[in-house]
Amino acid sequence: MSHTSGVRQAQKEKTRRALLDAGLRLLEEQSLSSLGLREVTRVVGVAPAAFYRHFRDLSDLGVALVEESLDSLHSLIRAILADQVGDEERIEASVEAVAEQVRRYPAHIRFIARERHGGVRPVREAIAAELDRFADEVADSFAPTLTPEGWSAEDVRILAQMYVDHMVMTATAFLEVPPDRPEEERRVADSARKQLLLISLGRRHWRDG
């Protein structure tokens, strides 16, 4: 790659990043369905036509934000499931990982929470697909232990989906805690741990009947 091409590519990536950041910032206060393309380009300081060099439309930008918002959480939880042994250790680490993700990326979590059941279909479908992929990863981590105990692949997948749904619910609960209320954050964490322990207890006795 020539120096000129490299500079051009770096500028293109910089503009794309700026468009994503502007979109995310504007979506703190509104839904994607109400966002205007000119609002985004005005924040970045580029002409509306420049937007289409990076995204087909605002839905395409939204899908990119979905991937960005959930990818790091996938990696965190996958590492926890691989490294931790014992339900209590996994639960403790998972709840703390979700809490830290909300602290570091509140705008991303708020975007997912709002758009998961929102009005822009491609974004809604992208969130569902990412969470399905997340559940598949959790199911893969559970299967080596549960399959020898007589669990079917379908039941393992349902259990994994319960864990993923709970992680999303917990993230939303953390998001609603004011930043100056650590006791409220502890209450949310305690509740999340207890709920996951109940799921775990039910899992251990699922085959008893």
Side-chain angles (χ1 to χ4, degrees), residues 70-96:
L70 291 174
D71 192 57
S72 58
L73 184 59
H74 281 199
S75 301
L76 277 173
I77 300 299
R78 186 164 56 241
I80 288 166
L81 292 173
D83 294 344
Q84 300 293 334
V85 293
D87 288 347
E88 292 190 15
E89 291 81 2
R90 282 182 172 183
I91 288 169
E92 182 70 33
S94 296
V95 171
E96 179 52 39

Side-chain angles (χ1 to χ4, degrees), residues 83-145:
D83 294 344
Q84 300 293 334
V85 293
D87 288 347
E88 292 190 15
E89 291 81 2
R90 282 182 172 183
I91 288 169
E92 182 70 33
S94 296
V95 171
E96 179 52 39
V98 171
E100 180 61 23
Q101 197 77 356
V102 173
R103 292 186 205 109
R104 294 179 64 186
Y105 308 109
H108 287 87
I109 303 301
R110 187 173 292 107
F111 167 73
I112 294 296
R114 177 183 289 133
E115 300 298 331
R116 187 183 183 190
H117 304 293
V120 180
R121 183 175 178 179
V123 173
R124 191 169 65 244
E125 290 177 345
I127 293 172
E130 285 292 312
L131 293 179
D132 278 346
R133 182 168 69 89
F134 198 179
D136 288 340
E137 293 171 356
V138 175
D140 288 344
S141 74
F142 285 167
T145 301

Side-chain angles (χ1 to χ4, degrees), residues 9-90:
Q9 182 62 29
Q11 182 58 48
K12 184 178 181 180
E13 291 173 1
K14 182 179 178 181
T15 302
R16 185 179 190 276
R17 178 71 262 163
L19 289 166
L20 286 167
D21 290 343
L24 189 63
R25 189 158 63 251
L26 290 166
L27 288 169
E28 289 254 35
E29 305 297 334
Q30 60 185 305
S31 66
L32 185 61
S33 60
S34 67
L35 183 65
L37 186 149
R38 288 180 181 275
E39 289 180 78
V40 178
T41 56
R42 189 180 303 119
V43 170
V44 177
V46 298
F51 179 91
Y52 296 105
R53 299 192 192 109
H54 305 275
F55 304 101
R56 293 187 300 275
D57 50 28
L58 283 173
S59 294
D60 194 31
L61 181 144
V63 170
L65 285 174
V66 170
E67 295 169 355
E68 181 176 275
S69 298
L70 291 174
D71 192 57
S72 58
L73 184 59
H74 281 199
S75 301
L76 277 173
I77 300 299
R78 186 164 56 241
I80 288 166
L81 292 173
D83 294 344
Q84 300 293 334
V85 293
D87 288 347
E88 292 190 15
E89 291 81 2
R90 282 182 172 183

